[in-house]
Short mmCIF file of all heavy atoms in Angstrom, two decimals:
data_model
loop_
_atom_site.label_atom_id
_atom_site.label_comp_id
_atom_site.label_asym_id
_atom_site.label_seq_id
_atom_site.Cartn_x
_atom_site.Cartn_y
_atom_site.Cartn_z
N MET O 765 -8.09 -12.19 7.43
CA MET O 765 -8.27 -10.96 6.67
C MET O 765 -6.94 -10.19 6.65
O MET O 765 -6.32 -9.98 7.69
CB MET O 765 -9.35 -10.11 7.33
CG MET O 765 -9.64 -8.85 6.61
SD MET O 765 -11.04 -7.96 7.35
CE MET O 765 -10.28 -7.29 8.81
N THR O 766 -6.51 -9.79 5.48
CA THR O 766 -5.28 -9.02 5.35
C THR O 766 -5.63 -7.57 5.01
O THR O 766 -6.51 -7.32 4.18
CB THR O 766 -4.38 -9.62 4.25
OG1 THR O 766 -4.08 -10.97 4.60
CG2 THR O 766 -3.09 -8.85 4.11
N THR O 767 -4.96 -6.66 5.67
CA THR O 767 -5.25 -5.24 5.43
C THR O 767 -3.99 -4.50 4.97
O THR O 767 -2.87 -4.95 5.23
CB THR O 767 -5.78 -4.56 6.70
OG1 THR O 767 -4.81 -4.68 7.74
CG2 THR O 767 -7.09 -5.16 7.15
N ILE O 768 -4.20 -3.40 4.32
CA ILE O 768 -3.09 -2.57 3.85
C ILE O 768 -3.34 -1.12 4.29
O ILE O 768 -4.46 -0.63 4.21
CB ILE O 768 -2.92 -2.69 2.32
CG1 ILE O 768 -1.65 -1.98 1.86
CG2 ILE O 768 -4.13 -2.17 1.58
CD1 ILE O 768 -1.26 -2.32 0.42
N GLU O 769 -2.28 -0.49 4.77
CA GLU O 769 -2.40 0.89 5.23
C GLU O 769 -1.11 1.66 4.92
O GLU O 769 -0.04 1.08 4.83
CB GLU O 769 -2.60 0.94 6.74
CG GLU O 769 -4.00 0.62 7.18
CD GLU O 769 -4.17 0.79 8.67
OE1 GLU O 769 -3.75 -0.11 9.40
OE2 GLU O 769 -4.70 1.84 9.07
N VAL O 770 -1.26 2.95 4.80
CA VAL O 770 -0.10 3.82 4.58
C VAL O 770 0.23 4.55 5.88
O VAL O 770 -0.66 5.08 6.54
CB VAL O 770 -0.38 4.86 3.48
CG1 VAL O 770 0.81 5.81 3.32
CG2 VAL O 770 -0.69 4.18 2.17
N ASP O 771 1.50 4.55 6.25
CA ASP O 771 1.96 5.37 7.36
C ASP O 771 2.30 6.74 6.77
O ASP O 771 3.33 6.92 6.12
CB ASP O 771 3.20 4.72 8.00
CG ASP O 771 3.73 5.55 9.16
OD1 ASP O 771 3.36 6.73 9.29
OD2 ASP O 771 4.54 5.00 9.93
N TRP O 772 1.41 7.70 6.98
CA TRP O 772 1.56 9.02 6.33
C TRP O 772 2.74 9.80 6.88
O TRP O 772 3.20 10.76 6.26
CB TRP O 772 0.28 9.83 6.47
CG TRP O 772 -0.86 9.17 5.77
CD1 TRP O 772 -1.94 8.56 6.33
CD2 TRP O 772 -1.01 8.98 4.35
NE1 TRP O 772 -2.75 8.04 5.35
CE2 TRP O 772 -2.21 8.28 4.14
CE3 TRP O 772 -0.23 9.36 3.24
CZ2 TRP O 772 -2.65 7.94 2.86
CZ3 TRP O 772 -0.68 9.02 1.97
CH2 TRP O 772 -1.87 8.33 1.79
N THR O 773 3.25 9.41 8.04
CA THR O 773 4.42 10.10 8.57
C THR O 773 5.68 9.69 7.81
O THR O 773 6.70 10.36 7.88
CB THR O 773 4.63 9.80 10.07
OG1 THR O 773 4.93 8.42 10.25
CG2 THR O 773 3.39 10.17 10.87
N ARG O 774 5.61 8.56 7.08
CA ARG O 774 6.77 8.08 6.33
C ARG O 774 6.66 8.29 4.82
O ARG O 774 7.67 8.45 4.14
CB ARG O 774 6.96 6.58 6.58
CG ARG O 774 7.46 6.24 7.96
CD ARG O 774 7.50 4.72 8.10
NE ARG O 774 8.11 4.30 9.33
CZ ARG O 774 9.38 3.94 9.45
NH1 ARG O 774 10.16 3.93 8.40
NH2 ARG O 774 9.88 3.57 10.60
N CYS O 775 5.45 8.20 4.28
CA CYS O 775 5.26 8.20 2.83
C CYS O 775 5.85 9.47 2.20
O CYS O 775 5.55 10.59 2.62
CB CYS O 775 3.78 8.09 2.49
SG CYS O 775 3.46 8.13 0.72
N ASP O 776 6.68 9.26 1.17
CA ASP O 776 7.33 10.37 0.47
C ASP O 776 6.82 10.52 -0.96
O ASP O 776 7.48 11.15 -1.78
CB ASP O 776 8.84 10.16 0.43
CG ASP O 776 9.49 10.45 1.77
OD1 ASP O 776 8.94 11.28 2.52
OD2 ASP O 776 10.52 9.83 2.06
N ALA O 777 5.71 9.87 -1.26
CA ALA O 777 5.10 9.97 -2.60
C ALA O 777 6.02 9.49 -3.71
O ALA O 777 6.08 10.08 -4.77
CB ALA O 777 4.62 11.40 -2.88
N HIS O 778 6.73 8.39 -3.47
CA HIS O 778 7.56 7.81 -4.52
C HIS O 778 6.69 7.20 -5.62
O HIS O 778 7.10 7.14 -6.77
CB HIS O 778 8.47 6.71 -3.96
CG HIS O 778 9.48 7.21 -3.00
ND1 HIS O 778 10.57 7.93 -3.39
CD2 HIS O 778 9.56 7.09 -1.65
CE1 HIS O 778 11.29 8.23 -2.32
NE2 HIS O 778 10.70 7.74 -1.25
N GLY O 779 5.53 6.70 -5.23
CA GLY O 779 4.59 6.16 -6.22
C GLY O 779 4.85 4.73 -6.65
O GLY O 779 4.10 4.18 -7.45
N LEU O 780 5.89 4.14 -6.13
CA LEU O 780 6.24 2.77 -6.53
C LEU O 780 5.13 1.78 -6.20
O LEU O 780 4.84 0.86 -6.96
CB LEU O 780 7.54 2.36 -5.84
CG LEU O 780 8.13 1.02 -6.22
CD1 LEU O 780 8.44 0.98 -7.71
CD2 LEU O 780 9.40 0.76 -5.41
N CYS O 781 4.48 1.98 -5.07
CA CYS O 781 3.43 1.04 -4.63
C CYS O 781 2.31 0.95 -5.67
O CYS O 781 1.78 -0.13 -5.90
CB CYS O 781 2.88 1.46 -3.27
SG CYS O 781 2.28 3.16 -3.22
N SER O 782 1.99 2.04 -6.29
CA SER O 782 0.92 2.04 -7.28
C SER O 782 1.32 1.24 -8.52
O SER O 782 0.49 0.58 -9.14
CB SER O 782 0.58 3.47 -7.67
OG SER O 782 -0.33 3.49 -8.73
N ARG O 783 2.59 1.28 -8.86
CA ARG O 783 3.05 0.51 -10.02
C ARG O 783 3.04 -0.98 -9.72
O ARG O 783 2.80 -1.81 -10.59
CB ARG O 783 4.45 0.96 -10.45
CG ARG O 783 4.39 2.11 -11.42
CD ARG O 783 5.74 2.46 -11.96
NE ARG O 783 6.34 3.48 -11.10
CZ ARG O 783 7.63 3.59 -10.87
NH1 ARG O 783 8.47 2.75 -11.42
NH2 ARG O 783 8.09 4.54 -10.10
N LEU O 784 3.32 -1.34 -8.45
CA LEU O 784 3.39 -2.75 -8.08
C LEU O 784 2.03 -3.34 -7.71
O LEU O 784 1.86 -4.56 -7.73
CB LEU O 784 4.36 -2.93 -6.91
CG LEU O 784 5.81 -2.61 -7.24
CD1 LEU O 784 6.67 -2.68 -6.00
CD2 LEU O 784 6.34 -3.57 -8.30
N LEU O 785 1.09 -2.48 -7.36
CA LEU O 785 -0.23 -2.97 -6.95
C LEU O 785 -1.33 -2.06 -7.53
O LEU O 785 -2.11 -1.45 -6.80
CB LEU O 785 -0.29 -2.99 -5.42
CG LEU O 785 -1.44 -3.75 -4.77
CD1 LEU O 785 -1.44 -5.22 -5.15
CD2 LEU O 785 -1.40 -3.58 -3.26
N PRO O 786 -1.37 -1.96 -8.86
CA PRO O 786 -2.32 -1.02 -9.49
C PRO O 786 -3.78 -1.38 -9.25
O PRO O 786 -4.65 -0.51 -9.34
CB PRO O 786 -1.95 -1.10 -10.98
CG PRO O 786 -1.29 -2.41 -11.14
CD PRO O 786 -0.58 -2.70 -9.84
N GLU O 787 -4.03 -2.67 -8.95
CA GLU O 787 -5.42 -3.09 -8.70
C GLU O 787 -5.98 -2.45 -7.43
O GLU O 787 -7.19 -2.36 -7.25
CB GLU O 787 -5.50 -4.61 -8.53
CG GLU O 787 -4.94 -5.42 -9.69
CD GLU O 787 -3.46 -5.71 -9.57
OE1 GLU O 787 -2.75 -5.02 -8.81
OE2 GLU O 787 -3.00 -6.64 -10.25
N LYS O 788 -5.08 -2.01 -6.55
CA LYS O 788 -5.51 -1.56 -5.22
C LYS O 788 -5.10 -0.11 -4.93
O LYS O 788 -5.71 0.55 -4.10
CB LYS O 788 -4.83 -2.50 -4.20
CG LYS O 788 -5.30 -2.42 -2.81
CD LYS O 788 -6.55 -3.22 -2.61
CE LYS O 788 -7.07 -3.04 -1.21
NZ LYS O 788 -8.51 -3.22 -1.16
N ILE O 789 -4.05 0.35 -5.59
CA ILE O 789 -3.50 1.66 -5.24
C ILE O 789 -3.41 2.54 -6.48
O ILE O 789 -2.80 2.17 -7.49
CB ILE O 789 -2.10 1.53 -4.61
CG1 ILE O 789 -2.13 0.61 -3.39
CG2 ILE O 789 -1.55 2.90 -4.23
CD1 ILE O 789 -0.77 0.33 -2.77
N SER O 790 -3.99 3.72 -6.39
CA SER O 790 -3.78 4.74 -7.42
C SER O 790 -3.07 5.92 -6.74
O SER O 790 -2.85 5.90 -5.54
CB SER O 790 -5.12 5.17 -8.02
OG SER O 790 -5.99 5.62 -7.01
N LEU O 791 -2.71 6.91 -7.52
CA LEU O 791 -1.99 8.04 -6.95
C LEU O 791 -2.80 9.32 -7.11
O LEU O 791 -3.48 9.50 -8.13
CB LEU O 791 -0.63 8.22 -7.66
CG LEU O 791 0.34 7.04 -7.56
CD1 LEU O 791 1.60 7.35 -8.36
CD2 LEU O 791 0.69 6.71 -6.11
N ASP O 792 -2.67 10.21 -6.14
CA ASP O 792 -3.33 11.50 -6.30
C ASP O 792 -2.42 12.41 -7.13
O ASP O 792 -1.37 11.99 -7.60
CB ASP O 792 -3.71 12.10 -4.93
CG ASP O 792 -2.50 12.56 -4.12
OD1 ASP O 792 -1.38 12.62 -4.68
OD2 ASP O 792 -2.68 12.86 -2.93
N GLU O 793 -2.84 13.63 -7.32
CA GLU O 793 -2.09 14.52 -8.23
C GLU O 793 -0.69 14.86 -7.72
O GLU O 793 0.16 15.32 -8.48
CB GLU O 793 -2.88 15.80 -8.48
CG GLU O 793 -3.19 16.57 -7.22
CD GLU O 793 -4.14 17.74 -7.48
OE1 GLU O 793 -3.75 18.65 -8.22
OE2 GLU O 793 -5.25 17.73 -6.94
N TRP O 794 -0.42 14.60 -6.45
CA TRP O 794 0.92 14.86 -5.89
C TRP O 794 1.76 13.59 -5.78
O TRP O 794 2.86 13.61 -5.28
CB TRP O 794 0.81 15.52 -4.51
CG TRP O 794 0.15 16.85 -4.57
CD1 TRP O 794 0.71 18.04 -4.97
CD2 TRP O 794 -1.21 17.14 -4.27
NE1 TRP O 794 -0.23 19.04 -4.93
CE2 TRP O 794 -1.41 18.53 -4.51
CE3 TRP O 794 -2.28 16.37 -3.84
CZ2 TRP O 794 -2.65 19.14 -4.31
CZ3 TRP O 794 -3.52 16.99 -3.65
CH2 TRP O 794 -3.68 18.36 -3.88
N GLY O 795 1.17 12.46 -6.19
CA GLY O 795 1.90 11.20 -6.15
C GLY O 795 1.71 10.41 -4.87
O GLY O 795 2.36 9.38 -4.67
N TYR O 796 0.79 10.86 -4.03
CA TYR O 796 0.50 10.09 -2.82
C TYR O 796 -0.53 9.02 -3.11
O TYR O 796 -1.42 9.21 -3.94
CB TYR O 796 -0.01 11.03 -1.70
CG TYR O 796 1.09 11.84 -1.09
CD1 TYR O 796 1.37 13.12 -1.53
CD2 TYR O 796 1.88 11.31 -0.06
CE1 TYR O 796 2.41 13.87 -0.99
CE2 TYR O 796 2.91 12.05 0.50
CZ TYR O 796 3.16 13.32 0.03
OH TYR O 796 4.19 14.05 0.56
N PRO O 797 -0.39 7.88 -2.43
CA PRO O 797 -1.27 6.76 -2.74
C PRO O 797 -2.70 6.93 -2.24
O PRO O 797 -2.94 7.47 -1.17
CB PRO O 797 -0.60 5.58 -2.02
CG PRO O 797 0.20 6.19 -0.94
CD PRO O 797 0.61 7.54 -1.41
N ILE O 798 -3.63 6.46 -3.05
CA ILE O 798 -5.04 6.37 -2.68
C ILE O 798 -5.36 4.88 -2.68
O ILE O 798 -5.29 4.23 -3.73
CB ILE O 798 -5.93 7.10 -3.69
CG1 ILE O 798 -5.54 8.57 -3.78
CG2 ILE O 798 -7.40 6.94 -3.32
CD1 ILE O 798 -6.17 9.28 -4.97
N ILE O 799 -5.67 4.35 -1.52
CA ILE O 799 -5.91 2.91 -1.40
C ILE O 799 -7.40 2.63 -1.47
O ILE O 799 -8.20 3.26 -0.78
CB ILE O 799 -5.30 2.37 -0.10
CG1 ILE O 799 -3.79 2.57 -0.16
CG2 ILE O 799 -5.64 0.89 0.06
CD1 ILE O 799 -3.02 1.99 0.97
N ASP O 800 -7.74 1.68 -2.32
CA ASP O 800 -9.13 1.32 -2.56
C ASP O 800 -9.57 0.31 -1.49
O ASP O 800 -9.62 -0.89 -1.72
CB ASP O 800 -9.23 0.72 -3.96
CG ASP O 800 -10.64 0.28 -4.29
OD1 ASP O 800 -11.58 0.76 -3.63
OD2 ASP O 800 -10.79 -0.55 -5.19
N GLY O 801 -9.86 0.81 -0.30
CA GLY O 801 -10.31 -0.06 0.80
C GLY O 801 -9.15 -0.70 1.52
O GLY O 801 -8.11 -0.98 0.93
N ARG O 802 -9.29 -0.93 2.83
CA ARG O 802 -8.20 -1.49 3.63
C ARG O 802 -8.00 -2.98 3.42
O ARG O 802 -6.91 -3.50 3.52
CB ARG O 802 -8.48 -1.25 5.13
CG ARG O 802 -8.19 0.15 5.60
CD ARG O 802 -8.41 0.24 7.08
NE ARG O 802 -7.42 -0.52 7.81
CZ ARG O 802 -7.70 -1.35 8.82
NH1 ARG O 802 -8.93 -1.53 9.21
NH2 ARG O 802 -6.74 -2.00 9.43
N VAL O 803 -9.10 -3.69 3.17
CA VAL O 803 -9.02 -5.15 3.10
C VAL O 803 -8.46 -5.57 1.73
O VAL O 803 -8.90 -5.09 0.69
CB VAL O 803 -10.41 -5.78 3.32
CG1 VAL O 803 -10.35 -7.29 3.15
CG2 VAL O 803 -10.93 -5.41 4.70
N VAL O 804 -7.45 -6.46 1.79
CA VAL O 804 -6.80 -6.92 0.56
C VAL O 804 -7.44 -8.25 0.13
O VAL O 804 -7.52 -9.20 0.92
CB VAL O 804 -5.29 -7.12 0.79
CG1 VAL O 804 -4.62 -7.62 -0.48
CG2 VAL O 804 -4.65 -5.82 1.28
N ASP O 805 -7.87 -8.31 -1.11
CA ASP O 805 -8.41 -9.54 -1.67
C ASP O 805 -7.34 -10.63 -1.58
O ASP O 805 -6.16 -10.35 -1.86
CB ASP O 805 -8.78 -9.26 -3.14
CG ASP O 805 -9.48 -10.43 -3.78
OD1 ASP O 805 -8.79 -11.40 -4.16
OD2 ASP O 805 -10.71 -10.37 -3.90
N PRO O 806 -7.71 -11.86 -1.20
CA PRO O 806 -6.71 -12.93 -1.06
C PRO O 806 -5.82 -13.08 -2.30
O PRO O 806 -4.63 -13.38 -2.19
CB PRO O 806 -7.56 -14.18 -0.83
CG PRO O 806 -8.81 -13.67 -0.19
CD PRO O 806 -9.05 -12.31 -0.81
N ALA O 807 -6.36 -12.86 -3.47
CA ALA O 807 -5.58 -13.01 -4.70
C ALA O 807 -4.50 -11.95 -4.83
O ALA O 807 -3.57 -12.10 -5.62
CB ALA O 807 -6.51 -12.96 -5.91
N LEU O 808 -4.63 -10.87 -4.07
CA LEU O 808 -3.67 -9.76 -4.18
C LEU O 808 -2.70 -9.67 -2.99
O LEU O 808 -1.85 -8.78 -2.96
CB LEU O 808 -4.43 -8.43 -4.29
CG LEU O 808 -5.24 -8.22 -5.56
CD1 LEU O 808 -6.01 -6.91 -5.47
CD2 LEU O 808 -4.33 -8.23 -6.78
N VAL O 809 -2.81 -10.60 -2.06
CA VAL O 809 -1.99 -10.52 -0.85
C VAL O 809 -0.50 -10.58 -1.17
O VAL O 809 0.30 -9.79 -0.66
CB VAL O 809 -2.38 -11.62 0.17
CG1 VAL O 809 -1.34 -11.72 1.28
CG2 VAL O 809 -3.74 -11.31 0.76
N GLN O 810 -0.11 -11.49 -2.05
CA GLN O 810 1.31 -11.62 -2.38
C GLN O 810 1.83 -10.33 -3.04
O GLN O 810 2.91 -9.85 -2.70
CB GLN O 810 1.53 -12.81 -3.29
CG GLN O 810 2.99 -13.22 -3.33
CD GLN O 810 3.21 -14.52 -4.12
OE1 GLN O 810 2.27 -15.11 -4.62
NE2 GLN O 810 4.45 -14.93 -4.21
N ALA O 811 1.08 -9.79 -3.96
CA ALA O 811 1.48 -8.55 -4.62
C ALA O 811 1.52 -7.40 -3.61
O ALA O 811 2.40 -6.53 -3.69
CB ALA O 811 0.52 -8.22 -5.76
N ALA O 812 0.59 -7.39 -2.66
CA ALA O 812 0.58 -6.34 -1.64
C ALA O 812 1.83 -6.43 -0.77
O ALA O 812 2.44 -5.41 -0.44
CB ALA O 812 -0.68 -6.46 -0.79
N ARG O 813 2.22 -7.63 -0.43
CA ARG O 813 3.43 -7.80 0.39
C ARG O 813 4.68 -7.34 -0.39
O ARG O 813 5.57 -6.72 0.16
CB ARG O 813 3.59 -9.26 0.82
CG ARG O 813 2.56 -9.68 1.83
CD ARG O 813 2.94 -10.97 2.54
NE ARG O 813 1.83 -11.50 3.30
CZ ARG O 813 1.37 -10.97 4.43
NH1 ARG O 813 1.96 -9.91 4.94
NH2 ARG O 813 0.35 -11.52 5.05
N LYS O 814 4.71 -7.66 -1.67
CA LYS O 814 5.84 -7.23 -2.51
C LYS O 814 5.90 -5.70 -2.56
O LYS O 814 6.98 -5.10 -2.48
CB LYS O 814 5.71 -7.79 -3.92
CG LYS O 814 6.25 -9.17 -4.06
CD LYS O 814 6.27 -9.57 -5.53
CE LYS O 814 6.64 -11.04 -5.67
NZ LYS O 814 6.46 -11.53 -7.02
N ALA O 815 4.75 -5.07 -2.72
CA ALA O 815 4.70 -3.61 -2.78
C ALA O 815 5.18 -3.01 -1.46
O ALA O 815 5.93 -2.02 -1.45
CB ALA O 815 3.28 -3.14 -3.10
N ALA O 816 4.78 -3.62 -0.35
CA ALA O 816 5.19 -3.12 0.96
C ALA O 816 6.70 -3.25 1.13
O ALA O 816 7.37 -2.34 1.64
CB ALA O 816 4.45 -3.86 2.06
N MET O 817 7.26 -4.38 0.67
CA MET O 817 8.70 -4.58 0.82
C MET O 817 9.49 -3.63 -0.08
O MET O 817 10.62 -3.26 0.22
CB MET O 817 9.07 -6.03 0.51
CG MET O 817 8.71 -6.97 1.64
SD MET O 817 9.41 -8.61 1.44
CE MET O 817 8.40 -9.26 0.14
N ALA O 818 8.88 -3.25 -1.21
CA ALA O 818 9.57 -2.39 -2.17
C ALA O 818 9.49 -0.91 -1.83
O ALA O 818 10.23 -0.11 -2.38
CB ALA O 818 9.01 -2.62 -3.57
N CYS O 819 8.59 -0.55 -0.94
CA CYS O 819 8.42 0.88 -0.61
C CYS O 819 9.71 1.44 -0.02
O CYS O 819 10.17 0.98 1.03
CB CYS O 819 7.27 1.05 0.39
SG CYS O 819 7.16 2.75 1.01
N PRO O 820 10.31 2.42 -0.69
CA PRO O 820 11.60 2.97 -0.23
C PRO O 820 11.52 3.62 1.15
O PRO O 820 12.53 3.72 1.84
CB PRO O 820 11.95 4.02 -1.29
CG PRO O 820 11.06 3.75 -2.44
CD PRO O 820 9.83 3.08 -1.90
N ALA O 821 10.33 4.04 1.54
CA ALA O 821 10.18 4.73 2.82
C ALA O 821 9.63 3.80 3.91
O ALA O 821 9.38 4.24 5.03
CB ALA O 821 9.25 5.92 2.65
N LEU O 822 9.43 2.54 3.57
CA LEU O 822 8.83 1.57 4.51
C LEU O 822 7.51 2.12 5.07
O LEU O 822 7.22 2.00 6.25
CB LEU O 822 9.80 1.24 5.65
CG LEU O 822 11.15 0.66 5.23
CD1 LEU O 822 12.03 0.44 6.45
CD2 LEU O 822 10.98 -0.63 4.46
N ALA O 823 6.73 2.71 4.18
CA ALA O 823 5.50 3.37 4.61
C ALA O 823 4.25 2.53 4.41
O ALA O 823 3.18 2.90 4.88
CB ALA O 823 5.33 4.68 3.84
N LEU O 824 4.40 1.41 3.72
CA LEU O 824 3.24 0.59 3.42
C LEU O 824 3.20 -0.60 4.38
O LEU O 824 4.17 -1.34 4.49
CB LEU O 824 3.34 0.10 1.97
CG LEU O 824 2.08 -0.11 1.18
CD1 LEU O 824 1.19 1.12 1.19
CD2 LEU O 824 2.44 -0.51 -0.23
N ARG O 825 2.08 -0.75 5.06
CA ARG O 825 1.95 -1.85 6.03
C ARG O 825 0.90 -2.82 5.55
O ARG O 825 -0.24 -2.45 5.30
CB ARG O 825 1.53 -1.32 7.38
CG ARG O 825 2.61 -0.59 8.09
CD ARG O 825 2.26 -0.49 9.57
NE ARG O 825 3.01 0.61 10.15
CZ ARG O 825 2.48 1.63 10.79
NH1 ARG O 825 1.18 1.69 10.95
NH2 ARG O 825 3.24 2.57 11.26
N VAL O 826 1.29 -4.07 5.43
CA VAL O 826 0.35 -5.13 5.10
C VAL O 826 0.31 -6.06 6.30
O VAL O 826 1.33 -6.61 6.71
CB VAL O 826 0.80 -5.89 3.84
CG1 VAL O 826 -0.10 -7.09 3.57
CG2 VAL O 826 0.82 -4.95 2.64
N GLU O 827 -0.86 -6.19 6.90
CA GLU O 827 -0.97 -6.98 8.12
C GLU O 827 -2.09 -7.99 8.01
O GLU O 827 -3.14 -7.71 7.45
CB GLU O 827 -1.19 -6.07 9.32
CG GLU O 827 0.05 -5.26 9.64
CD GLU O 827 -0.16 -4.28 10.76
OE1 GLU O 827 -1.26 -4.25 11.33
OE2 GLU O 827 0.77 -3.56 11.06
N ARG O 828 -1.81 -9.13 8.58
CA ARG O 828 -2.82 -10.18 8.63
C ARG O 828 -3.48 -10.12 9.99
O ARG O 828 -2.82 -10.25 11.02
CB ARG O 828 -2.12 -11.53 8.44
CG ARG O 828 -3.03 -12.62 8.02
CD ARG O 828 -2.25 -13.91 7.94
NE ARG O 828 -3.14 -15.01 8.22
CZ ARG O 828 -3.69 -15.75 7.28
NH1 ARG O 828 -3.39 -15.54 6.04
NH2 ARG O 828 -4.50 -16.73 7.59
N GLY O 829 -4.79 -9.90 10.00
CA GLY O 829 -5.51 -9.79 11.27
C GLY O 829 -6.47 -10.94 11.46
O GLY O 829 -6.56 -11.84 10.63
N ALA O 830 -7.20 -10.88 12.55
CA ALA O 830 -8.18 -11.91 12.84
C ALA O 830 -9.39 -11.72 11.95
O ALA O 830 -9.67 -10.61 11.51
CB ALA O 830 -8.60 -11.82 14.30
N MET O 831 -10.10 -12.78 11.65
CA MET O 831 -11.30 -12.70 10.84
C MET O 831 -12.43 -12.04 11.60
O MET O 831 -12.56 -12.13 12.75
CB MET O 831 -11.74 -14.09 10.40
CG MET O 831 -10.74 -14.76 9.49
SD MET O 831 -10.62 -14.00 7.88
CE MET O 831 -12.05 -14.71 7.10
S1 SF4 M 940 5.90 3.48 -2.42
FE1 SF4 M 940 5.83 4.02 -0.23
S2 SF4 M 940 6.56 6.12 -0.12
FE2 SF4 M 940 6.01 5.69 -2.24
S3 SF4 M 940 3.88 6.41 -2.47
FE3 SF4 M 940 3.84 4.22 -1.96
S4 SF4 M 940 3.65 4.17 0.28
FE4 SF4 M 940 4.35 6.23 -0.26
#
């Protein structure tokens, strides 16, 4: 199971994650991400990792956990 989370101490509301992973992340009115559930669908794992690597604040964490 792969999960995605935002480190709110780092997130600066750049909004890039939403553009790279629109299936999972939308933005609130201030540009902060709203994540649609922690668990990432297997088909979206690669895109989630790309979004995490692209986050300018290194605020997006994608982790693979135990089932
Ligand atoms: S790209 Fe990073 S800093 Fe920007 S909104 Fe997403 S998590 Fe926050």
Side-chain angles (χ1 to χ4, degrees):
M765 182 175 75
T766 301
T767 59
I768 187 167
E769 282 184 282
V770 177
D771 180 344
W772 297 110
T773 65
R774 288 176 173 263
C775 178
D776 285 331
H778 295 287
L780 185 60
C781 55
S782 174
R783 273 186 268 148
L784 294 174
L785 193 61
E787 303 89 341
K788 191 82 184 152
I789 304 175
S790 56
L791 299 178
D792 70 11
E793 59 188 296
W794 297 282
Y796 285 94
I798 301 168
I799 297 185
D800 179 20
R802 282 184 68 227
V803 176
V804 180
D805 186 281
L808 293 176
V809 168
Q810 196 173 0
R813 290 196 192 287
K814 276 189 188 170
M817 284 191 287
C819 172
L822 302 177
L824 212 53
R825 288 198 201 124
V826 174
E827 290 176 2
R828 200 184 151 99
M831 295 291 280

